[in-house]
Every structure is written in C-alpha cells, then in structure tokens.
Amino acid sequence: MSGTRVLVVDDEPQILRALRINLAARGYQVLTAVDGASALRAAADGKPDVVVLDLGLPDLDGTEVIAGLRGWSGVPIIVLSARTDSVDKVEALDAGADDYVTKPFGMDELLARLRAAVRRAAVSVGEGEEAVIQTDSFTVDLVAKKVRKDGEEVHLTPTEWGVLEVLVRNRGRLVAQKQLLRDVWGPAYATESHYLRVYLAQLRRKLEREPARPRHLLTEPGMGYRFEM
Amino acid sequence: MSGTRVLVVDDEPQILRALRINLAARGYQVLTAVDGASALRAAADGKPDVVVLDLGLPDLDGTEVIAGLRGWSGVPIIVLSARTDSVDKVEALDAGADDYVTKPFGMDELLARLRAAVRRAAVSVGEGEEAVIQTDSFTVDLVAKKVRKDGEEVHLTPTEWGVLEVLVRNRGRLVAQKQLLRDVWGPAYATESHYLRVYLAQLRRKLEREPARPRHLLTEPGMGYRFEM
DNA sequence: CCGCCGCGTAAAGAACACGTCAAGGCCCCA
DNA sequence: TGGGGCCTTGACGTGTTCTTTACGCGGCGG
C-alpha cells in the first residue's frame, strides 16, 4: 500500500490547513472538503481510506453526512466535535461514526486514532474465517448462517437472523437500539424501537431456555441490547 | 522525552520568578509571558507541553486566552486564580481549562497538578483502542459500556451511565457542572445542578466502597466533579 | 452568632420503556 | 387462486427510570 488516503472535512480554514500539513508530513494523501455536499462528492470521487469529519458544518448536519456516506461505504469515520456538544457526539456514533476526537485536540491524539481506525478496517476484512459462537443453550455459526439448540437446527427468518448476527458480532458489547435498527432495517427505521421488542422476544422464545428470563440476549433499558456468551 | 516545556503566564513578577526557579530546579523548561497577547504568541512559538495561566491578566480576560489556545491546541491548561473570584474559575473550566489552583498556593500542590496534567495528556495519545479504566473498587469499560464492582457486573441506568462516562473520559480533570449537564442532559438543562447531586449520589452508592466518603467520584464544591482513578 | 447557600440523601408520582399477544397485509410459491 | 410464512402494527399490563419535592448537614459570610 502506498499512501493512505484521508478525506478531511471542516469549514474552518486554519484547522483544514493544520491537518493538511500534519497529515501530508506523515505520508498520508490528503483530500479536503469544506461542507457536507462537497464532502460526499469528494468521498465518491476520491475513495478515501478514512474520513475525518467536523460536526459543525454550514450546510448539512453531521449525522446527515455520516448517513450519506454509510449508504454506500464502510469507510472509517472519525468525528471532530466541540467539547460542548457531546449530544451530537452520541448521535454521530449512533449514525455510524467509528470514533471521535474532541476539539480542541492534540495532533498526536488524532493521528493515533487515525492509525487505529485504519488498522481496524484492514483487520476486519481478513478475519472472516470460521466463527462458531457457543452458549450453554445454543450455538451460532456466523459463516454457515445456522443456529442450533440442543443439536437441533433452529429455523430463523431473515430479520431474526439479521438481529442475532449484529448482536453476536458485537458479543459482550452493548449495541445501541439505533445502531441495531440501522444495521438490520436501514437508516430510515432508526426510531422503530418496537421492532426490536418484537424480534428480541421471538429470538428469546426460540433460543433461550427461559425466554422470560434471558441469559444471553439481554436488554439494557433505555440503551440497547447485548449478547453475552 | 527530554525536558517538559511549561509556559507560565502571570503579570506579577515575583510569582513569575518563583515559578521559574522552582520549575527549572525540577528539570522543566520554562517559558514565560506577562499578558494574554504574548501568552498566545509564546504558546504558538514554543509548543509547550502544559500551560500555567493566571486569570487576572491586564489585557485579556482569562477565558479569552483559554479560548484562543483551544482554537488550535489541546495543551493542558492549569488556571491560577485568587480565592475570591470563583465565578471566573468556573468560567475558565467551562472554557476548556483542565484544572485550577487557588492562590495563594503551595508549590507542591502546583507541581502535583502539573505532573498529573502532563501524564494525562501523554496517556490520551496512546489510547486509540480498548478502553478499560480501573480503580481499586470498580472498573469501567467504555466500549462495551459495562461496569464491574468486585467482579460483579453493576447495572446502570442510561443517565447514570452518561454521567459516569463523561467523568471517566475526563478522568483526573475537573468537569464543570454546566459542562456535565450540557453533555448528559443537553444545553437546556445547564442550570439544573440538582440532577447532578441526585445522580452522583446514586453512582457513589453503586460504585464507591464508602458512598459517604467517596474516593473516586469527587465533588469540588461550587465548581464541579472529578473522577480520580 | 445566626442565616444562607450548596451539597447529599431519601422518597414518591409521573413518564417512559419493555415484553407480550394478536391481528392485518404483503409477497411468493404451489 | 389459495395458502403459508413473514413483516408490520396496535393494544395492554408491568416494571423501571426520571423528575421533583422535602429535609438535614456543614461551611462561609454578614
């Protein structure tokens, strides 16, 4: 791989300039954009390996830009946000950002996160081999897309599988409702949290020993769901 | 790393002198400035690792200097302020200062805070990835959104988690009440400081060994809260 | 010395989120 | 054309969480 391509999106010229200089000095190829619309265009044209995105853009809301990118690309997105609007930060992560850095930031910190994001993206491509996850009441084969309970194969509908797969791939971690909805149903359904209740209930009925007292498909009220082995 | 670079900003010559001597004696490289304008210039030229800033400058308001620095730099800022102007102190923290020391101060205290600020900045560079913070009574996993006390998982409500997360991400540094409220509840709640008392009490009850005598979730009366590891 | 302000704690009602059941509609395939 | 699976939607009971009120304590200033 020659230079990693970074798209920097910010409307403040001095920040843009500082980033361009620092990134170029470290061998990155730098693309820039000053608003959301041109950012989306630049991302489509330039095929960046990672995007650094300021949330306070003049034309589009930060989450809209993220959604626009996530519509067709899995490129890692690092969000820059002012220290005061961390509500936006949460929304940005929910919308599909990978990491965030609070403004003002040290250049070293941004570079570290940048490296981490790129590394993560590179790894996740190669790691897709055999993946069978076992619990004491059922097993999930992510490659074969099969679920077994007590040896018997359990039939899941496409949506049920989608929900289970997202949770299992994030095993141990809390998955926010919005993220789950976005991953399974798409960005437009981010508020239909009722779907989750229905499908989690179905999955529990099919997989848990005591559906009323789940041990693996857990609810974190107000936040999301979590798969524990 | 050779010597740590400290920029000291104060308009009183004797304080400047005392600090220069004491800091130099401990191996710091010391830069000085006597007003806000030259402080900003010195910070840009000298790339200090930490700034010690007196609030009572002749030309600029303390918060203006902080804002000026924070426009482009994440360098830790320790504020010096007279005991009487605690309004200024709050504003300074709000503007992005990292910590404060009340005049008159013991040199030991200042040095301790200085070391803490530098250490913190150094740490935050390396942490792009997994983020598990440990204290002697509980651990916080920022990625998985899990809290453990004595091995047992502790359940937190969304708001409890929000408060804890902000404090932990700013570990070691004082977080102003306003900022905490804005970050967790949103800008409209910036004055509802009572919420903080309720939720801090809840967090202490769940996490501290002696909730009445907290060792990690600390109150700085009149200012805000601080998480110490 | 007394009053005020900020903090910590407890408790209760209101608001919200969740799980569950069931019915309606769509699409695909027989 | 009929049927079955699947997704969506609605209604309801229950439990949890947020918000608000009340009160005691301690420090600081008048």
Side-chain angles (χ1 to χ4, degrees):
Chain A
M1 189 188 292
S2 60
T4 307
R5 302 167 70 81
V6 185
L7 170 60
V8 180
V9 189
D10 202 311
D11 59 325
E12 296 170 68
Q14 66 270 33
I15 293 194
L16 218 49
R17 186 165 161 277
L19 286 174
R20 201 207 310 268
I21 292 170
N22 274 283
L23 292 172
R26 281 163 183 83
Y28 292 96
Q29 293 182 36
V30 184
L31 314 169
T32 59
V34 293
D35 57 47
S38 52
L40 292 172
R41 230 176 300 124
D45 295 347
K47 300 269 173 205
D49 300 298
V50 55
V51 176
V52 176
L53 172 69
D54 182 30
L55 282 186
L57 294 178
D59 58 339
L60 295 177
D61 188 55
T63 56
E64 296 182 277
V65 181
I66 296 170
L69 283 167
R70 280 287 172 267
W72 56 273
S73 164
V75 61
I77 301 175
I78 297 177
V79 158
L80 296 180
S81 81
R83 186 144 166 268
T84 43
D85 26 73
S86 78
V87 180
D88 298 354
K89 251 182 319 203
V90 174
E91 282 173 11
L93 289 173
D94 262 356
D98 291 76
D99 203 346
Y100 70 85
V101 176
T102 339
K103 276 208 260 190
F105 53 91
M107 191 56 62
D108 292 340
E109 182 177 358
L110 178 64
L111 287 168
R113 303 223 183 241
L114 210 64
R115 283 192 298 271
V118 173
R119 177 166 10 101
R120 225 162 20 232
V123 165
S124 72
V125 171
E127 75 168 320
E129 274 317 287
E130 192 56 35
V132 179
I133 286 82
Q134 297 209 15
T135 73
D136 58 3
S137 80
F138 60 94
T139 74
V140 182
D141 187 330
L142 287 173
V143 177
K145 292 196 190 292
K146 278 184 184 162
V147 182
R148 260 180 250 284
K149 183 183 182 188
D150 305 326
E152 299 282 302
E153 186 168 332
V154 180
H155 174 73
L156 297 186
T157 73
T159 308
E160 285 165 2
W161 172 259
V163 173
L164 182 63
E165 180 172 12
V166 173
L167 289 175
V168 170
R169 284 197 192 278
N170 290 285
R171 74 199 80 126
R173 282 200 277 251
L174 175 65
V175 182
Q177 301 195 2
K178 274 187 196 168
Q179 190 193 330
L180 204 40
L181 287 163
R182 183 171 46 75
D183 286 0
V184 178
W185 280 269
Y189 293 75
T191 61
E192 303 284 351
S193 57
H194 187 60
Y195 288 10
L196 294 179
R197 288 196 272 282
V198 174
Y199 278 93
L200 262 294
Q202 265 162 7
L203 283 171
R204 282 170 184 148
R205 189 145 32 78
K206 289 185 176 180
L207 301 178
E208 292 275 6
R209 295 213 183 282
E210 293 178 277
R213 236 167 311 119
R215 299 185 44 206
H216 305 103
L217 298 165
L218 308 177
T219 301
E220 301 276 352
M223 303 205 281
Y225 294 86
R226 181 201 305 276
F227 171 82
E228 286 286 4
M229 299 184 59
Chain B
M1 189 186 292
S2 60
T4 307
R5 302 167 71 82
V6 186
L7 170 60
V8 181
V9 189
D10 202 311
D11 60 325
E12 297 170 67
Q14 65 270 33
I15 293 193
L16 218 49
R17 187 165 162 279
L19 285 174
R20 199 207 311 269
I21 292 170
N22 274 283
L23 292 173
R26 282 164 182 82
Y28 292 97
Q29 293 182 36
V30 184
L31 314 169
T32 58
V34 294
D35 56 46
S38 53
L40 291 173
R41 229 175 301 124
D45 294 346
K47 300 266 173 206
D49 301 297
V50 54
V51 175
V52 176
L53 172 69
D54 182 30
L55 282 187
L57 295 178
D59 58 339
L60 295 177
D61 187 54
T63 56
E64 296 182 277
V65 180
I66 295 170
L69 281 167
R70 282 287 175 262
W72 56 273
S73 164
V75 61
I77 301 174
I78 298 177
V79 158
L80 296 180
S81 83
R83 192 148 159 279
T84 44
D85 19 84
S86 72
V87 182
D88 298 354
K89 268 188 298 201
V90 175
E91 282 173 9
L93 290 169
D94 229 25
D98 290 70
D99 208 342
Y100 75 93
V101 177
T102 314
K103 284 207 268 192
F105 55 90
M107 190 54 63
D108 291 342
E109 183 182 359
L110 178 63
L111 287 168
R113 304 236 182 232
L114 211 63
R115 282 192 299 271
V118 174
R119 179 167 5 104
R120 213 148 51 222
V123 165
S124 76
V125 171
E127 66 158 328
E129 194 68 14
E130 196 57 35
V132 180
I133 287 82
Q134 297 211 15
T135 73
D136 58 3
S137 80
F138 60 94
T139 74
V140 183
D141 186 330
L142 289 172
V143 177
K145 291 201 198 289
K146 272 193 222 175
V147 180
R148 257 184 253 284
K149 182 183 181 188
D150 306 324
E152 296 284 300
E153 191 164 328
V154 179
H155 175 74
L156 298 186
T157 72
T159 309
E160 286 164 2
W161 174 260
V163 172
L164 182 63
E165 181 172 11
V166 173
L167 290 175
V168 170
R169 284 198 193 278
N170 291 286
R171 74 199 81 129
R173 113 204 289 191
L174 176 50
V175 181
Q177 299 193 1
K178 264 191 208 168
Q179 191 198 330
L180 202 40
L181 286 163
R182 267 200 304 254
D183 283 3
V184 178
W185 280 269
Y189 293 75
T191 61
E192 302 283 353
S193 57
H194 184 64
Y195 288 10
L196 296 179
R197 288 194 271 283
V198 174
Y199 278 94
L200 262 295
Q202 258 160 6
L203 282 172
R204 282 171 183 148
R205 187 146 33 79
K206 289 186 176 181
L207 301 179
E208 292 275 6
R209 294 210 185 285
E210 293 179 276
R213 235 173 293 127
R215 298 185 45 206
H216 305 103
L217 298 166
L218 309 177
T219 301
E220 303 268 347
M223 314 251 80
Y225 294 87
R226 179 200 303 270
F227 171 83
E228 285 287 3
M229 297 184 61

mmCIF file of all heavy atoms in Angstrom, chain B residues 5 7 18 30 51 54 68-69 82 84 90-91 109 135 147 163 174 184 197 200 216 220 226:
data_model
loop_
_atom_site.group_PDB
_atom_site.id
_atom_site.type_symbol
_atom_site.label_atom_id
_atom_site.label_comp_id
_atom_site.label_asym_id
_atom_site.label_seq_id
_atom_site.Cartn_x
_atom_site.Cartn_y
_atom_site.Cartn_z
ATOM 1 N N ARG B 5 8.116 21.122 28.629
ATOM 2 C CA ARG B 5 8.085 22.566 28.437
ATOM 3 C C ARG B 5 6.837 23.154 29.089
ATOM 4 O O ARG B 5 5.725 22.751 28.765
ATOM 5 C CB ARG B 5 8.114 22.895 26.952
ATOM 6 C CG ARG B 5 9.333 22.328 26.242
ATOM 7 C CD ARG B 5 9.170 22.385 24.729
ATOM 8 N NE ARG B 5 9.250 23.739 24.221
ATOM 9 C CZ ARG B 5 10.392 24.379 23.988
ATOM 10 N NH1 ARG B 5 11.529 23.773 24.215
ATOM 11 N NH2 ARG B 5 10.392 25.606 23.518
ATOM 12 N N LEU B 7 4.700 26.677 29.917
ATOM 13 C CA LEU B 7 4.516 28.106 29.703
ATOM 14 C C LEU B 7 3.794 28.687 30.907
ATOM 15 O O LEU B 7 2.678 28.275 31.233
ATOM 16 C CB LEU B 7 3.694 28.362 28.433
ATOM 17 C CG LEU B 7 3.222 29.804 28.214
ATOM 18 C CD1 LEU B 7 4.402 30.769 28.113
ATOM 19 C CD2 LEU B 7 2.356 29.898 26.965
ATOM 20 N N ALA B 18 9.267 33.115 41.097
ATOM 21 C CA ALA B 18 9.217 31.939 41.967
ATOM 22 C C ALA B 18 8.958 30.677 41.157
ATOM 23 O O ALA B 18 9.594 29.636 41.360
ATOM 24 C CB ALA B 18 8.130 32.123 43.022
ATOM 25 N N VAL B 30 11.204 26.306 31.096
ATOM 26 C CA VAL B 30 10.179 27.287 31.423
ATOM 27 C C VAL B 30 10.135 28.425 30.411
ATOM 28 O O VAL B 30 11.160 29.048 30.119
ATOM 29 C CB VAL B 30 10.423 27.886 32.828
ATOM 30 C CG1 VAL B 30 9.290 28.833 33.192
ATOM 31 C CG2 VAL B 30 10.542 26.768 33.852
ATOM 32 N N VAL B 51 0.368 24.550 30.135
ATOM 33 C CA VAL B 51 0.321 25.996 30.361
ATOM 34 C C VAL B 51 -0.206 26.274 31.765
ATOM 35 O O VAL B 51 -1.202 25.672 32.180
ATOM 36 C CB VAL B 51 -0.603 26.693 29.330
ATOM 37 C CG1 VAL B 51 -0.742 28.184 29.647
ATOM 38 C CG2 VAL B 51 -0.074 26.501 27.922
ATOM 39 N N ASP B 54 -2.488 32.508 34.883
ATOM 40 C CA ASP B 54 -3.150 33.343 35.877
ATOM 41 C C ASP B 54 -4.370 33.994 35.234
ATOM 42 O O ASP B 54 -4.324 34.446 34.087
ATOM 43 C CB ASP B 54 -2.186 34.422 36.378
ATOM 44 C CG ASP B 54 -2.839 35.278 37.446
ATOM 45 O OD1 ASP B 54 -3.703 34.753 38.173
ATOM 46 O OD2 ASP B 54 -2.490 36.470 37.550
ATOM 47 N N GLY B 68 -8.549 31.268 22.997
ATOM 48 C CA GLY B 68 -7.540 31.466 21.968
ATOM 49 C C GLY B 68 -6.643 30.252 21.815
ATOM 50 O O GLY B 68 -6.306 29.839 20.708
ATOM 51 N N LEU B 69 -6.271 29.672 22.941
ATOM 52 C CA LEU B 69 -5.440 28.471 22.893
ATOM 53 C C LEU B 69 -6.221 27.288 22.344
ATOM 54 O O LEU B 69 -5.750 26.541 21.485
ATOM 55 C CB LEU B 69 -4.943 28.131 24.302
ATOM 56 C CG LEU B 69 -3.767 28.953 24.827
ATOM 57 C CD1 LEU B 69 -3.597 28.742 26.312
ATOM 58 C CD2 LEU B 69 -2.502 28.555 24.083
ATOM 59 N N ALA B 82 -7.283 33.827 42.194
ATOM 60 C CA ALA B 82 -7.446 34.253 43.580
ATOM 61 C C ALA B 82 -8.667 33.566 44.171
ATOM 62 O O ALA B 82 -9.577 33.152 43.453
ATOM 63 C CB ALA B 82 -7.606 35.765 43.649
ATOM 64 N N THR B 84 -11.124 34.563 45.727
ATOM 65 C CA THR B 84 -12.421 35.252 45.712
ATOM 66 C C THR B 84 -13.176 35.131 44.397
ATOM 67 O O THR B 84 -14.392 35.117 44.387
ATOM 68 C CB THR B 84 -12.218 36.746 46.024
ATOM 69 O OG1 THR B 84 -11.104 37.216 45.271
ATOM 70 C CG2 THR B 84 -11.978 36.944 47.499
ATOM 71 N N VAL B 90 -15.008 28.961 37.440
ATOM 72 C CA VAL B 90 -15.982 28.123 36.754
ATOM 73 C C VAL B 90 -15.973 28.408 35.267
ATOM 74 O O VAL B 90 -15.959 27.494 34.437
ATOM 75 C CB VAL B 90 -17.389 28.356 37.328
ATOM 76 C CG1 VAL B 90 -18.411 27.578 36.530
ATOM 77 C CG2 VAL B 90 -17.435 27.938 38.775
ATOM 78 N N GLU B 91 -15.951 29.680 34.945
ATOM 79 C CA GLU B 91 -15.948 30.043 33.514
ATOM 80 C C GLU B 91 -14.703 29.510 32.822
ATOM 81 O O GLU B 91 -14.764 29.050 31.683
ATOM 82 C CB GLU B 91 -16.014 31.567 33.358
ATOM 83 C CG GLU B 91 -17.412 32.114 33.577
ATOM 84 C CD GLU B 91 -17.412 33.633 33.590
ATOM 85 O OE1 GLU B 91 -16.366 34.227 33.270
ATOM 86 O OE2 GLU B 91 -18.470 34.207 33.928
ATOM 87 N N GLU B 109 1.602 21.619 45.661
ATOM 88 C CA GLU B 109 0.309 21.348 45.036
ATOM 89 C C GLU B 109 0.365 21.632 43.549
ATOM 90 O O GLU B 109 -0.090 20.837 42.722
ATOM 91 C CB GLU B 109 -0.776 22.207 45.694
ATOM 92 C CG GLU B 109 -2.141 21.903 45.117
ATOM 93 C CD GLU B 109 -3.228 22.775 45.726
ATOM 94 O OE1 GLU B 109 -2.905 23.593 46.607
ATOM 95 O OE2 GLU B 109 -4.390 22.633 45.295
ATOM 96 N N THR B 135 -10.234 1.197 38.945
ATOM 97 C CA THR B 135 -9.917 1.778 40.236
ATOM 98 C C THR B 135 -9.816 0.622 41.222
ATOM 99 O O THR B 135 -10.021 -0.529 40.841
ATOM 100 C CB THR B 135 -11.011 2.729 40.725
ATOM 101 O OG1 THR B 135 -12.140 1.954 41.133
ATOM 102 C CG2 THR B 135 -11.443 3.676 39.616
ATOM 103 N N VAL B 147 -19.859 -1.901 33.667
ATOM 104 C CA VAL B 147 -19.204 -1.518 34.910
ATOM 105 C C VAL B 147 -19.193 -2.731 35.829
ATOM 106 O O VAL B 147 -20.215 -3.404 35.975
ATOM 107 C CB VAL B 147 -19.949 -0.358 35.594
ATOM 108 C CG1 VAL B 147 -19.254 0.025 36.881
ATOM 109 C CG2 VAL B 147 -20.039 0.830 34.663
ATOM 110 N N VAL B 163 -23.482 10.187 32.938
ATOM 111 C CA VAL B 163 -22.685 10.989 33.873
ATOM 112 C C VAL B 163 -21.328 10.340 34.085
ATOM 113 O O VAL B 163 -20.284 10.990 33.981
ATOM 114 C CB VAL B 163 -23.425 11.139 35.218
ATOM 115 C CG1 VAL B 163 -22.519 11.800 36.244
ATOM 116 C CG2 VAL B 163 -24.702 11.936 35.031
ATOM 117 N N LEU B 174 -11.074 18.257 36.342
ATOM 118 C CA LEU B 174 -12.314 18.749 36.916
ATOM 119 C C LEU B 174 -13.301 19.086 35.812
ATOM 120 O O LEU B 174 -12.983 19.809 34.882
ATOM 121 C CB LEU B 174 -12.000 19.987 37.750
ATOM 122 C CG LEU B 174 -13.136 20.744 38.393
ATOM 123 C CD1 LEU B 174 -14.037 19.813 39.151
ATOM 124 C CD2 LEU B 174 -12.548 21.782 39.317
ATOM 125 N N VAL B 184 -24.768 15.607 29.274
ATOM 126 C CA VAL B 184 -25.637 14.468 29.548
ATOM 127 C C VAL B 184 -27.103 14.797 29.244
ATOM 128 O O VAL B 184 -27.801 14.000 28.621
ATOM 129 C CB VAL B 184 -25.499 14.016 31.014
ATOM 130 C CG1 VAL B 184 -26.445 12.865 31.312
ATOM 131 C CG2 VAL B 184 -24.064 13.610 31.291
ATOM 132 N N ARG B 197 -26.496 16.237 41.838
ATOM 133 C CA ARG B 197 -26.406 15.725 43.204
ATOM 134 C C ARG B 197 -27.099 14.374 43.315
ATOM 135 O O ARG B 197 -26.572 13.429 43.913
ATOM 136 C CB ARG B 197 -27.041 16.727 44.167
ATOM 137 C CG ARG B 197 -26.218 17.957 44.353
ATOM 138 C CD ARG B 197 -26.701 18.758 45.542
ATOM 139 N NE ARG B 197 -27.738 19.716 45.215
ATOM 140 C CZ ARG B 197 -27.518 20.867 44.618
ATOM 141 N NH1 ARG B 197 -26.295 21.198 44.259
ATOM 142 N NH2 ARG B 197 -28.506 21.692 44.363
ATOM 143 N N LEU B 200 -25.004 11.741 41.169
ATOM 144 C CA LEU B 200 -23.709 11.427 41.774
ATOM 145 C C LEU B 200 -23.905 10.572 43.012
ATOM 146 O O LEU B 200 -23.149 9.637 43.271
ATOM 147 C CB LEU B 200 -22.950 12.704 42.103
ATOM 148 C CG LEU B 200 -21.895 13.154 41.093
ATOM 149 C CD1 LEU B 200 -20.764 12.146 41.015
ATOM 150 C CD2 LEU B 200 -22.505 13.350 39.714
ATOM 151 N N HIS B 216 -13.345 8.197 44.451
ATOM 152 C CA HIS B 216 -13.137 8.304 43.011
ATOM 153 C C HIS B 216 -14.086 9.285 42.352
ATOM 154 O O HIS B 216 -13.730 9.925 41.380
ATOM 155 C CB HIS B 216 -13.286 6.926 42.363
ATOM 156 C CG HIS B 216 -12.394 5.905 42.958
ATOM 157 N ND1 HIS B 216 -12.841 4.945 43.835
ATOM 158 C CD2 HIS B 216 -11.058 5.710 42.843
ATOM 159 C CE1 HIS B 216 -11.817 4.187 44.214
ATOM 160 N NE2 HIS B 216 -10.734 4.628 43.636
ATOM 161 N N GLU B 220 -16.043 18.946 43.843
ATOM 162 C CA GLU B 220 -15.298 20.179 44.090
ATOM 163 C C GLU B 220 -16.350 21.245 44.313
ATOM 164 O O GLU B 220 -16.918 21.774 43.362
ATOM 165 C CB GLU B 220 -14.426 20.549 42.883
ATOM 166 C CG GLU B 220 -13.456 19.485 42.470
ATOM 167 C CD GLU B 220 -12.098 19.652 43.141
ATOM 168 O OE1 GLU B 220 -11.852 20.725 43.721
ATOM 169 O OE2 GLU B 220 -11.302 18.694 43.089
ATOM 170 N N ARG B 226 -15.128 15.482 39.716
ATOM 171 C CA ARG B 226 -13.879 14.966 39.187
ATOM 172 C C ARG B 226 -13.812 13.465 39.435
ATOM 173 O O ARG B 226 -14.144 12.986 40.513
ATOM 174 C CB ARG B 226 -12.721 15.653 39.912
ATOM 175 C CG ARG B 226 -11.343 15.199 39.479
ATOM 176 C CD ARG B 226 -10.299 15.511 40.514
ATOM 177 N NE ARG B 226 -10.212 16.916 40.868
ATOM 178 C CZ ARG B 226 -9.420 17.798 40.249
ATOM 179 N NH1 ARG B 226 -8.678 17.399 39.261
ATOM 180 N NH2 ARG B 226 -9.382 19.046 40.625
#
